[in-house]
PDB file of all heavy atoms in Angstrom:
ATOM      1  N   ALA A   1      40.999  93.647 117.274  1.00  0.00           N
ATOM      2  CA  ALA A   1      40.125  94.452 118.129  1.00  0.00           C
ATOM      3  C   ALA A   1      38.662  94.233 117.771  1.00  0.00           C
ATOM      4  O   ALA A   1      38.277  94.223 116.594  1.00  0.00           O
ATOM      5  CB  ALA A   1      40.466  95.933 117.980  1.00  0.00           C
ATOM      6  N   GLY A   2      37.847  94.019 118.796  1.00  0.00           N
ATOM      7  CA  GLY A   2      36.419  93.832 118.593  1.00  0.00           C
ATOM      8  C   GLY A   2      36.009  92.430 118.176  1.00  0.00           C
ATOM      9  O   GLY A   2      34.814  92.164 118.037  1.00  0.00           O
ATOM     10  N   ARG A   3      36.977  91.541 118.006  1.00  0.00           N
ATOM     11  CA  ARG A   3      36.673  90.184 117.576  1.00  0.00           C
ATOM     12  C   ARG A   3      36.421  89.268 118.767  1.00  0.00           C
ATOM     13  O   ARG A   3      36.867  89.528 119.885  1.00  0.00           O
ATOM     14  CB  ARG A   3      37.824  89.619 116.745  1.00  0.00           C
ATOM     15  CG  ARG A   3      38.171  90.423 115.490  1.00  0.00           C
ATOM     16  CD  ARG A   3      37.121  90.258 114.405  1.00  0.00           C
ATOM     17  NE  ARG A   3      36.989  88.866 114.006  1.00  0.00           N
ATOM     18  CZ  ARG A   3      37.771  88.250 113.125  1.00  0.00           C
ATOM     19  NH1 ARG A   3      38.762  88.907 112.542  1.00  0.00           N
ATOM     20  NH2 ARG A   3      37.562  86.977 112.797  1.00  0.00           N
ATOM     21  N   THR A   4      35.744  88.152 118.523  1.00  0.00           N
ATOM     22  CA  THR A   4      35.532  87.111 119.519  1.00  0.00           C
ATOM     23  C   THR A   4      35.988  85.786 118.923  1.00  0.00           C
ATOM     24  O   THR A   4      35.591  85.430 117.806  1.00  0.00           O
ATOM     25  CB  THR A   4      34.055  87.003 119.933  1.00  0.00           C
ATOM     26  OG1 THR A   4      33.658  88.226 120.559  1.00  0.00           O
ATOM     27  CG2 THR A   4      33.844  85.857 120.919  1.00  0.00           C
ATOM     28  N   TYR A   5      36.859  85.090 119.659  1.00  0.00           N
ATOM     29  CA  TYR A   5      37.386  83.819 119.192  1.00  0.00           C
ATOM     30  C   TYR A   5      37.072  82.727 120.216  1.00  0.00           C
ATOM     31  O   TYR A   5      37.164  82.950 121.423  1.00  0.00           O
ATOM     32  CB  TYR A   5      38.903  83.888 119.010  1.00  0.00           C
ATOM     33  CG  TYR A   5      39.357  84.901 117.988  1.00  0.00           C
ATOM     34  CD1 TYR A   5      39.892  86.132 118.389  1.00  0.00           C
ATOM     35  CD2 TYR A   5      39.265  84.643 116.622  1.00  0.00           C
ATOM     36  CE1 TYR A   5      40.323  87.066 117.468  1.00  0.00           C
ATOM     37  CE2 TYR A   5      39.683  85.578 115.689  1.00  0.00           C
ATOM     38  CZ  TYR A   5      40.212  86.787 116.117  1.00  0.00           C
ATOM     39  OH  TYR A   5      40.621  87.703 115.187  1.00  0.00           O
ATOM     40  N   GLU A   6      36.739  81.544 119.720  1.00  0.00           N
ATOM     41  CA  GLU A   6      36.584  80.377 120.578  1.00  0.00           C
ATOM     42  C   GLU A   6      37.756  79.435 120.305  1.00  0.00           C
ATOM     43  O   GLU A   6      37.967  79.015 119.167  1.00  0.00           O
ATOM     44  CB  GLU A   6      35.247  79.684 120.317  1.00  0.00           C
ATOM     45  CG  GLU A   6      34.062  80.531 120.739  1.00  0.00           C
ATOM     46  CD  GLU A   6      32.797  79.711 120.918  1.00  0.00           C
ATOM     47  OE1 GLU A   6      32.847  78.477 120.699  1.00  0.00           O
ATOM     48  OE2 GLU A   6      31.771  80.298 121.278  1.00  0.00           O
ATOM     49  N   ILE A   7      38.500  79.130 121.364  1.00  0.00           N
ATOM     50  CA  ILE A   7      39.754  78.399 121.214  1.00  0.00           C
ATOM     51  C   ILE A   7      39.642  77.025 121.858  1.00  0.00           C
ATOM     52  O   ILE A   7      39.374  76.910 123.062  1.00  0.00           O
ATOM     53  CB  ILE A   7      40.920  79.183 121.866  1.00  0.00           C
ATOM     54  CG1 ILE A   7      40.971  80.616 121.322  1.00  0.00           C
ATOM     55  CG2 ILE A   7      42.236  78.464 121.629  1.00  0.00           C
ATOM     56  CD1 ILE A   7      41.152  80.715 119.822  1.00  0.00           C
ATOM     57  N   THR A   8      39.856  75.984 121.056  1.00  0.00           N
ATOM     58  CA  THR A   8      39.791  74.611 121.542  1.00  0.00           C
ATOM     59  C   THR A   8      40.986  73.819 121.029  1.00  0.00           C
ATOM     60  O   THR A   8      41.748  74.285 120.183  1.00  0.00           O
ATOM     61  CB  THR A   8      38.508  73.891 121.066  1.00  0.00           C
ATOM     62  OG1 THR A   8      38.633  73.607 119.656  1.00  0.00           O
ATOM     63  CG2 THR A   8      37.273  74.734 121.302  1.00  0.00           C
ATOM     64  N   GLY A   9      41.101  72.602 121.541  1.00  0.00           N
ATOM     65  CA  GLY A   9      42.048  71.665 120.966  1.00  0.00           C
ATOM     66  C   GLY A   9      41.489  71.082 119.685  1.00  0.00           C
ATOM     67  O   GLY A   9      40.378  71.417 119.263  1.00  0.00           O
ATOM     68  N   PRO A  10      42.236  70.166 119.043  1.00  0.00           N
ATOM     69  CA  PRO A  10      41.835  69.647 117.723  1.00  0.00           C
ATOM     70  C   PRO A  10      40.813  68.515 117.763  1.00  0.00           C
ATOM     71  O   PRO A  10      40.278  68.144 116.721  1.00  0.00           O
ATOM     72  CB  PRO A  10      43.156  69.152 117.134  1.00  0.00           C
ATOM     73  CG  PRO A  10      43.934  68.712 118.335  1.00  0.00           C
ATOM     74  CD  PRO A  10      43.582  69.697 119.416  1.00  0.00           C
ATOM     75  N   ARG A  11      40.542  67.940 118.957  1.00  0.00           N
ATOM     76  CA  ARG A  11      39.593  66.832 119.029  1.00  0.00           C
ATOM     77  C   ARG A  11      38.934  66.788 120.399  1.00  0.00           C
ATOM     78  O   ARG A  11      39.455  67.323 121.379  1.00  0.00           O
ATOM     79  CB  ARG A  11      40.272  65.491 118.731  1.00  0.00           C
ATOM     80  CG  ARG A  11      41.357  65.100 119.722  1.00  0.00           C
ATOM     81  CD  ARG A  11      42.086  63.842 119.288  1.00  0.00           C
ATOM     82  NE  ARG A  11      43.231  63.552 120.150  1.00  0.00           N
ATOM     83  CZ  ARG A  11      43.268  62.557 121.036  1.00  0.00           C
ATOM     84  NH1 ARG A  11      42.203  61.752 121.177  1.00  0.00           N
ATOM     85  NH2 ARG A  11      44.346  62.347 121.773  1.00  0.00           N
ATOM     86  N   VAL A  12      37.794  66.135 120.433  1.00  0.00           N
ATOM     87  CA  VAL A  12      37.057  65.970 121.683  1.00  0.00           C
ATOM     88  C   VAL A  12      37.585  64.729 122.399  1.00  0.00           C
ATOM     89  O   VAL A  12      37.728  63.662 121.796  1.00  0.00           O
ATOM     90  CB  VAL A  12      35.547  65.834 121.414  1.00  0.00           C
ATOM     91  CG1 VAL A  12      34.791  65.523 122.696  1.00  0.00           C
ATOM     92  CG2 VAL A  12      35.014  67.120 120.769  1.00  0.00           C
ATOM     93  N   VAL A  13      37.875  64.892 123.691  1.00  0.00           N
ATOM     94  CA  VAL A  13      38.474  63.827 124.495  1.00  0.00           C
ATOM     95  C   VAL A  13      37.654  63.674 125.776  1.00  0.00           C
ATOM     96  O   VAL A  13      37.369  64.664 126.455  1.00  0.00           O
ATOM     97  CB  VAL A  13      39.940  64.164 124.860  1.00  0.00           C
ATOM     98  CG1 VAL A  13      40.560  63.064 125.720  1.00  0.00           C
ATOM     99  CG2 VAL A  13      40.761  64.400 123.600  1.00  0.00           C
ATOM    100  N   THR A  14      37.264  62.470 126.128  1.00  0.00           N
ATOM    101  CA  THR A  14      36.589  62.254 127.402  1.00  0.00           C
ATOM    102  C   THR A  14      37.627  62.234 128.523  1.00  0.00           C
ATOM    103  O   THR A  14      38.834  62.091 128.279  1.00  0.00           O
ATOM    104  CB  THR A  14      35.823  60.926 127.428  1.00  0.00           C
ATOM    105  OG1 THR A  14      36.764  59.842 127.382  1.00  0.00           O
ATOM    106  CG2 THR A  14      34.851  60.829 126.251  1.00  0.00           C
ATOM    107  N   PHE A  15      37.166  62.348 129.760  1.00  0.00           N
ATOM    108  CA  PHE A  15      38.099  62.312 130.878  1.00  0.00           C
ATOM    109  C   PHE A  15      38.741  60.927 130.998  1.00  0.00           C
ATOM    110  O   PHE A  15      39.910  60.807 131.397  1.00  0.00           O
ATOM    111  CB  PHE A  15      37.390  62.712 132.168  1.00  0.00           C
ATOM    112  CG  PHE A  15      37.357  64.203 132.376  1.00  0.00           C
ATOM    113  CD1 PHE A  15      36.550  65.012 131.587  1.00  0.00           C
ATOM    114  CD2 PHE A  15      38.132  64.803 133.353  1.00  0.00           C
ATOM    115  CE1 PHE A  15      36.516  66.383 131.765  1.00  0.00           C
ATOM    116  CE2 PHE A  15      38.117  66.176 133.537  1.00  0.00           C
ATOM    117  CZ  PHE A  15      37.306  66.975 132.747  1.00  0.00           C
ATOM    118  N   ALA A  16      38.003  59.883 130.659  1.00  0.00           N
ATOM    119  CA  ALA A  16      38.584  58.533 130.667  1.00  0.00           C
ATOM    120  C   ALA A  16      39.688  58.424 129.625  1.00  0.00           C
ATOM    121  O   ALA A  16      40.743  57.822 129.877  1.00  0.00           O
ATOM    122  CB  ALA A  16      37.495  57.498 130.414  1.00  0.00           C
ATOM    123  N   GLU A  17      39.459  59.008 128.443  1.00  0.00           N
ATOM    124  CA  GLU A  17      40.485  58.999 127.398  1.00  0.00           C
ATOM    125  C   GLU A  17      41.683  59.845 127.800  1.00  0.00           C
ATOM    126  O   GLU A  17      42.829  59.497 127.504  1.00  0.00           O
ATOM    127  CB  GLU A  17      39.889  59.485 126.085  1.00  0.00           C
ATOM    128  CG  GLU A  17      38.885  58.523 125.476  1.00  0.00           C
ATOM    129  CD  GLU A  17      38.092  59.130 124.336  1.00  0.00           C
ATOM    130  OE1 GLU A  17      37.998  60.379 124.261  1.00  0.00           O
ATOM    131  OE2 GLU A  17      37.541  58.359 123.527  1.00  0.00           O
ATOM    132  N   ALA A  18      41.433  60.955 128.490  1.00  0.00           N
ATOM    133  CA  ALA A  18      42.532  61.796 128.974  1.00  0.00           C
ATOM    134  C   ALA A  18      43.384  61.020 129.969  1.00  0.00           C
ATOM    135  O   ALA A  18      44.624  61.077 129.922  1.00  0.00           O
ATOM    136  CB  ALA A  18      41.975  63.061 129.622  1.00  0.00           C
ATOM    137  N   ALA A  19      42.731  60.282 130.868  1.00  0.00           N
ATOM    138  CA  ALA A  19      43.468  59.469 131.839  1.00  0.00           C
ATOM    139  C   ALA A  19      44.316  58.418 131.127  1.00  0.00           C
ATOM    140  O   ALA A  19      45.461  58.143 131.531  1.00  0.00           O
ATOM    141  CB  ALA A  19      42.495  58.810 132.807  1.00  0.00           C
ATOM    142  N   ALA A  20      43.768  57.838 130.055  1.00  0.00           N
ATOM    143  CA  ALA A  20      44.516  56.828 129.297  1.00  0.00           C
ATOM    144  C   ALA A  20      45.724  57.443 128.604  1.00  0.00           C
ATOM    145  O   ALA A  20      46.809  56.834 128.564  1.00  0.00           O
ATOM    146  CB  ALA A  20      43.595  56.160 128.271  1.00  0.00           C
ATOM    147  N   GLU A  21      45.574  58.646 128.058  1.00  0.00           N
ATOM    148  CA  GLU A  21      46.692  59.330 127.405  1.00  0.00           C
ATOM    149  C   GLU A  21      47.792  59.639 128.419  1.00  0.00           C
ATOM    150  O   GLU A  21      48.986  59.462 128.137  1.00  0.00           O
ATOM    151  CB  GLU A  21      46.216  60.625 126.747  1.00  0.00           C
ATOM    152  CG  GLU A  21      45.275  60.462 125.572  1.00  0.00           C
ATOM    153  CD  GLU A  21      45.988  60.072 124.294  1.00  0.00           C
ATOM    154  OE1 GLU A  21      47.193  59.738 124.344  1.00  0.00           O
ATOM    155  OE2 GLU A  21      45.334  60.097 123.238  1.00  0.00           O
ATOM    156  N   ILE A  22      47.398  60.101 129.590  1.00  0.00           N
ATOM    157  CA  ILE A  22      48.376  60.411 130.631  1.00  0.00           C
ATOM    158  C   ILE A  22      49.066  59.139 131.104  1.00  0.00           C
ATOM    159  O   ILE A  22      50.279  59.109 131.344  1.00  0.00           O
ATOM    160  CB  ILE A  22      47.705  61.146 131.798  1.00  0.00           C
ATOM    161  CG1 ILE A  22      47.179  62.516 131.331  1.00  0.00           C
ATOM    162  CG2 ILE A  22      48.691  61.349 132.958  1.00  0.00           C
ATOM    163  CD1 ILE A  22      46.310  63.224 132.357  1.00  0.00           C
ATOM    164  N   SER A  23      48.297  58.043 131.220  1.00  0.00           N
ATOM    165  CA  SER A  23      48.865  56.757 131.626  1.00  0.00           C
ATOM    166  C   SER A  23      49.947  56.311 130.654  1.00  0.00           C
ATOM    167  O   SER A  23      51.034  55.868 131.067  1.00  0.00           O
ATOM    168  CB  SER A  23      47.767  55.694 131.699  1.00  0.00           C
ATOM    169  OG  SER A  23      46.809  55.995 132.685  1.00  0.00           O
ATOM    170  N   ARG A  24      49.654  56.420 129.355  1.00  0.00           N
ATOM    171  CA  ARG A  24      50.639  56.006 128.344  1.00  0.00           C
ATOM    172  C   ARG A  24      51.900  56.857 128.438  1.00  0.00           C
ATOM    173  O   ARG A  24      53.014  56.339 128.326  1.00  0.00           O
ATOM    174  CB  ARG A  24      50.029  56.120 126.943  1.00  0.00           C
ATOM    175  CG  ARG A  24      49.139  54.935 126.559  1.00  0.00           C
ATOM    176  CD  ARG A  24      48.770  54.971 125.092  1.00  0.00           C
ATOM    177  NE  ARG A  24      47.777  55.992 124.817  1.00  0.00           N
ATOM    178  CZ  ARG A  24      46.461  55.800 124.889  1.00  0.00           C
ATOM    179  NH1 ARG A  24      45.983  54.613 125.254  1.00  0.00           N
ATOM    180  NH2 ARG A  24      45.613  56.768 124.609  1.00  0.00           N
ATOM    181  N   ALA A  25      51.733  58.155 128.623  1.00  0.00           N
ATOM    182  CA  ALA A  25      52.887  59.039 128.678  1.00  0.00           C
ATOM    183  C   ALA A  25      53.707  58.831 129.952  1.00  0.00           C
ATOM    184  O   ALA A  25      54.942  58.862 129.925  1.00  0.00           O
ATOM    185  CB  ALA A  25      52.427  60.501 128.588  1.00  0.00           C
ATOM    186  N   ALA A  26      53.009  58.608 131.062  1.00  0.00           N
ATOM    187  CA  ALA A  26      53.690  58.498 132.359  1.00  0.00           C
ATOM    188  C   ALA A  26      54.220  57.100 132.634  1.00  0.00           C
ATOM    189  O   ALA A  26      55.065  56.918 133.516  1.00  0.00           O
ATOM    190  CB  ALA A  26      52.735  58.912 133.473  1.00  0.00           C
ATOM    191  N   GLY A  27      53.704  56.109 131.900  1.00  0.00           N
ATOM    192  CA  GLY A  27      54.142  54.753 132.126  1.00  0.00           C
ATOM    193  C   GLY A  27      53.596  54.148 133.409  1.00  0.00           C
ATOM    194  O   GLY A  27      54.190  53.221 133.980  1.00  0.00           O
ATOM    195  N   ARG A  28      52.468  54.643 133.873  1.00  0.00           N
ATOM    196  CA  ARG A  28      51.797  54.077 135.041  1.00  0.00           C
ATOM    197  C   ARG A  28      50.296  54.320 134.900  1.00  0.00           C
ATOM    198  O   ARG A  28      49.877  55.204 134.152  1.00  0.00           O
ATOM    199  CB  ARG A  28      52.305  54.700 136.350  1.00  0.00           C
ATOM    200  CG  ARG A  28      52.084  56.206 136.469  1.00  0.00           C
ATOM    201  CD  ARG A  28      52.768  56.761 137.715  1.00  0.00           C
ATOM    202  NE  ARG A  28      52.603  58.202 137.822  1.00  0.00           N
ATOM    203  CZ  ARG A  28      51.593  58.789 138.476  1.00  0.00           C
ATOM    204  NH1 ARG A  28      50.664  58.040 139.087  1.00  0.00           N
ATOM    205  NH2 ARG A  28      51.519  60.100 138.549  1.00  0.00           N
ATOM    206  N   GLU A  29      49.515  53.549 135.617  1.00  0.00           N
ATOM    207  CA  GLU A  29      48.068  53.632 135.451  1.00  0.00           C
ATOM    208  C   GLU A  29      47.483  54.856 136.160  1.00  0.00           C
ATOM    209  O   GLU A  29      47.741  55.090 137.342  1.00  0.00           O
ATOM    210  CB  GLU A  29      47.376  52.373 135.986  1.00  0.00           C
ATOM    211  CG  GLU A  29      45.868  52.403 135.748  1.00  0.00           C
ATOM    212  CD  GLU A  29      45.158  51.187 136.312  1.00  0.00           C
ATOM    213  OE1 GLU A  29      45.789  50.411 137.051  1.00  0.00           O
ATOM    214  OE2 GLU A  29      43.959  51.021 136.009  1.00  0.00           O
ATOM    215  N   ILE A  30      46.696  55.603 135.419  1.00  0.00           N
ATOM    216  CA  ILE A  30      45.898  56.702 135.960  1.00  0.00           C
ATOM    217  C   ILE A  30      44.442  56.359 135.669  1.00  0.00           C
ATOM    218  O   ILE A  30      44.069  56.173 134.516  1.00  0.00           O
ATOM    219  CB  ILE A  30      46.258  58.061 135.314  1.00  0.00           C
ATOM    220  CG1 ILE A  30      47.755  58.350 135.451  1.00  0.00           C
ATOM    221  CG2 ILE A  30      45.419  59.172 135.926  1.00  0.00           C
ATOM    222  CD1 ILE A  30      48.231  58.553 136.873  1.00  0.00           C
ATOM    223  N   ARG A  31      43.617  56.270 136.702  1.00  0.00           N
ATOM    224  CA  ARG A  31      42.222  55.887 136.525  1.00  0.00           C
ATOM    225  C   ARG A  31      41.318  57.120 136.608  1.00  0.00           C
ATOM    226  O   ARG A  31      41.527  57.990 137.437  1.00  0.00           O
ATOM    227  CB  ARG A  31      41.791  54.881 137.603  1.00  0.00           C
ATOM    228  CG  ARG A  31      42.513  53.558 137.559  1.00  0.00           C
ATOM    229  CD  ARG A  31      41.970  52.625 138.621  1.00  0.00           C
ATOM    230  NE  ARG A  31      42.054  53.218 139.952  1.00  0.00           N
ATOM    231  CZ  ARG A  31      41.032  53.309 140.794  1.00  0.00           C
ATOM    232  NH1 ARG A  31      39.832  52.869 140.449  1.00  0.00           N
ATOM    233  NH2 ARG A  31      41.207  53.844 141.994  1.00  0.00           N
ATOM    234  N   TYR A  32      40.347  57.163 135.715  1.00  0.00           N
ATOM    235  CA  TYR A  32      39.309  58.191 135.834  1.00  0.00           C
ATOM    236  C   TYR A  32      38.165  57.630 136.654  1.00  0.00           C
ATOM    237  O   TYR A  32      37.641  56.543 136.363  1.00  0.00           O
ATOM    238  CB  TYR A  32      38.810  58.625 134.457  1.00  0.00           C
ATOM    239  CG  TYR A  32      37.555  59.475 134.546  1.00  0.00           C
ATOM    240  CD1 TYR A  32      37.543  60.650 135.300  1.00  0.00           C
ATOM    241  CD2 TYR A  32      36.380  59.099 133.891  1.00  0.00           C
ATOM    242  CE1 TYR A  32      36.399  61.424 135.406  1.00  0.00           C
ATOM    243  CE2 TYR A  32      35.237  59.871 133.985  1.00  0.00           C
ATOM    244  CZ  TYR A  32      35.251  61.026 134.739  1.00  0.00           C
ATOM    245  OH  TYR A  32      34.121  61.788 134.849  1.00  0.00           O
ATOM    246  N   ILE A  33      37.761  58.360 137.675  1.00  0.00           N
ATOM    247  CA  ILE A  33      36.669  57.944 138.543  1.00  0.00           C
ATOM    248  C   ILE A  33      35.540  58.962 138.421  1.00  0.00           C
ATOM    249  O   ILE A  33      35.636  60.071 138.956  1.00  0.00           O
ATOM    250  CB  ILE A  33      37.129  57.839 140.010  1.00  0.00           C
ATOM    251  CG1 ILE A  33      38.302  56.859 140.127  1.00  0.00           C
ATOM    252  CG2 ILE A  33      35.969  57.402 140.906  1.00  0.00           C
ATOM    253  CD1 ILE A  33      38.892  56.787 141.520  1.00  0.00           C
ATOM    254  N   PRO A  34      34.475  58.636 137.686  1.00  0.00           N
ATOM    255  CA  PRO A  34      33.345  59.569 137.601  1.00  0.00           C
ATOM    256  C   PRO A  34      32.608  59.626 138.928  1.00  0.00           C
ATOM    257  O   PRO A  34      32.306  58.586 139.523  1.00  0.00           O
ATOM    258  CB  PRO A  34      32.476  58.959 136.495  1.00  0.00           C
ATOM    259  CG  PRO A  34      32.837  57.514 136.471  1.00  0.00           C
ATOM    260  CD  PRO A  34      34.264  57.407 136.898  1.00  0.00           C
ATOM    261  N   VAL A  35      32.361  60.830 139.410  1.00  0.00           N
ATOM    262  CA  VAL A  35      31.624  61.012 140.660  1.00  0.00           C
ATOM    263  C   VAL A  35      30.414  61.895 140.392  1.00  0.00           C
ATOM    264  O   VAL A  35      30.357  62.623 139.395  1.00  0.00           O
ATOM    265  CB  VAL A  35      32.515  61.643 141.761  1.00  0.00           C
ATOM    266  CG1 VAL A  35      33.682  60.728 142.107  1.00  0.00           C
ATOM    267  CG2 VAL A  35      33.025  63.023 141.321  1.00  0.00           C
ATOM    268  N   SER A  36      29.449  61.842 141.287  1.00  0.00           N
ATOM    269  CA  SER A  36      28.262  62.693 141.149  1.00  0.00           C
ATOM    270  C   SER A  36      28.592  64.114 141.592  1.00  0.00           C
ATOM    271  O   SER A  36      29.602  64.359 142.259  1.00  0.00           O
ATOM    272  CB  SER A  36      27.124  62.146 142.004  1.00  0.00           C
ATOM    273  OG  SER A  36      27.422  62.299 143.388  1.00  0.00           O
ATOM    274  N   GLY A  37      27.705  65.037 141.224  1.00  0.00           N
ATOM    275  CA  GLY A  37      27.893  66.410 141.662  1.00  0.00           C
ATOM    276  C   GLY A  37      27.902  66.529 143.178  1.00  0.00           C
ATOM    277  O   GLY A  37      28.710  67.268 143.752  1.00  0.00           O
ATOM    278  N   ASP A  38      27.015  65.801 143.836  1.00  0.00           N
ATOM    279  CA  ASP A  38      26.950  65.848 145.298  1.00  0.00           C
ATOM    280  C   ASP A  38      28.236  65.319 145.915  1.00  0.00           C
ATOM    281  O   ASP A  38      28.745  65.893 146.893  1.00  0.00           O
ATOM    282  CB  ASP A  38      25.761  65.030 145.795  1.00  0.00           C
ATOM    283  CG  ASP A  38      24.428  65.704 145.514  1.00  0.00           C
ATOM    284  OD1 ASP A  38      24.419  66.930 145.271  1.00  0.00           O
ATOM    285  OD2 ASP A  38      23.384  65.016 145.539  1.00  0.00           O
ATOM    286  N   GLU A  39      28.765  64.233 145.363  1.00  0.00           N
ATOM    287  CA  GLU A  39      30.016  63.679 145.886  1.00  0.00           C
ATOM    288  C   GLU A  39      31.164  64.658 145.684  1.00  0.00           C
ATOM    289  O   GLU A  39      32.018  64.828 146.572  1.00  0.00           O
ATOM    290  CB  GLU A  39      30.327  62.352 145.189  1.00  0.00           C
ATOM    291  CG  GLU A  39      29.392  61.210 145.568  1.00  0.00           C
ATOM    292  CD  GLU A  39      29.605  59.990 144.707  1.00  0.00           C
ATOM    293  OE1 GLU A  39      29.896  60.150 143.498  1.00  0.00           O
ATOM    294  OE2 GLU A  39      29.491  58.878 145.249  1.00  0.00           O
ATOM    295  N   TYR A  40      31.191  65.302 144.525  1.00  0.00           N
ATOM    296  CA  TYR A  40      32.268  66.251 144.247  1.00  0.00           C
ATOM    297  C   TYR A  40      32.179  67.455 145.180  1.00  0.00           C
ATOM    298  O   TYR A  40      33.193  67.890 145.739  1.00  0.00           O
ATOM    299  CB  TYR A  40      32.194  66.694 142.792  1.00  0.00           C
ATOM    300  CG  TYR A  40      33.369  67.539 142.373  1.00  0.00           C
ATOM    301  CD1 TYR A  40      34.622  66.958 142.205  1.00  0.00           C
ATOM    302  CD2 TYR A  40      33.237  68.906 142.146  1.00  0.00           C
ATOM    303  CE1 TYR A  40      35.723  67.723 141.829  1.00  0.00           C
ATOM    304  CE2 TYR A  40      34.325  69.667 141.769  1.00  0.00           C
ATOM    305  CZ  TYR A  40      35.565  69.071 141.615  1.00  0.00           C
ATOM    306  OH  TYR A  40      36.643  69.829 141.249  1.00  0.00           O
ATOM    307  N   ARG A  41      30.972  67.980 145.357  1.00  0.00           N
ATOM    308  CA  ARG A  41      30.792  69.128 146.253  1.00  0.00           C
ATOM    309  C   ARG A  41      31.213  68.774 147.678  1.00  0.00           C
ATOM    310  O   ARG A  41      31.894  69.555 148.348  1.00  0.00           O
ATOM    311  CB  ARG A  41      29.340  69.588 146.239  1.00  0.00           C
ATOM    312  CG  ARG A  41      29.109  70.850 147.087  1.00  0.00           C
ATOM    313  CD  ARG A  41      27.671  71.303 147.057  1.00  0.00           C
ATOM    314  NE  ARG A  41      26.791  70.354 147.709  1.00  0.00           N
ATOM    315  CZ  ARG A  41      25.905  69.583 147.090  1.00  0.00           C
ATOM    316  NH1 ARG A  41      25.778  69.642 145.772  1.00  0.00           N
ATOM    317  NH2 ARG A  41      25.135  68.743 147.766  1.00  0.00           N
ATOM    318  N   ALA A  42      30.838  67.597 148.128  1.00  0.00           N
ATOM    319  CA  ALA A  42      31.214  67.167 149.477  1.00  0.00           C
ATOM    320  C   ALA A  42      32.725  67.069 149.619  1.00  0.00           C
ATOM    321  O   ALA A  42      33.294  67.436 150.661  1.00  0.00           O
ATOM    322  CB  ALA A  42      30.566  65.824 149.800  1.00  0.00           C
ATOM    323  N   GLY A  43      33.382  66.604 148.560  1.00  0.00           N
ATOM    324  CA  GLY A  43      34.836  66.514 148.590  1.00  0.00           C
ATOM    325  C   GLY A  43      35.491  67.877 148.662  1.00  0.00           C
ATOM    326  O   GLY A  43      36.498  68.060 149.367  1.00  0.00           O
TER     327      GLY A  43
END
């Protein structure tokens, strides 16, 4: 009670690295495509 906790995983992972981890697990290619804020908002 009254405490504040910050909860994270054990390491910092980029989205490209996350896509690579998922690719290895799934056995198929998953590509990370960085987009701009404007492109994302439009989508």
Side-chain angles (χ1 to χ4, degrees):
R3 301 287 300 277
T4 297
Y5 299 103
E6 293 199 359
I7 307 301
T8 73
R11 63 186 173 108
V12 174
V13 179
T14 67
F15 274 71
E17 291 168 338
E21 293 282 10
I22 295 171
S23 296
R24 279 190 286 272
R28 61 187 178 91
E29 183 182 10
I30 305 294
R31 296 183 304 128
Y32 169 57
I33 303 175
V35 297
S36 69
D38 288 341
E39 290 171 324
Y40 187 72
R41 184 179 67 250

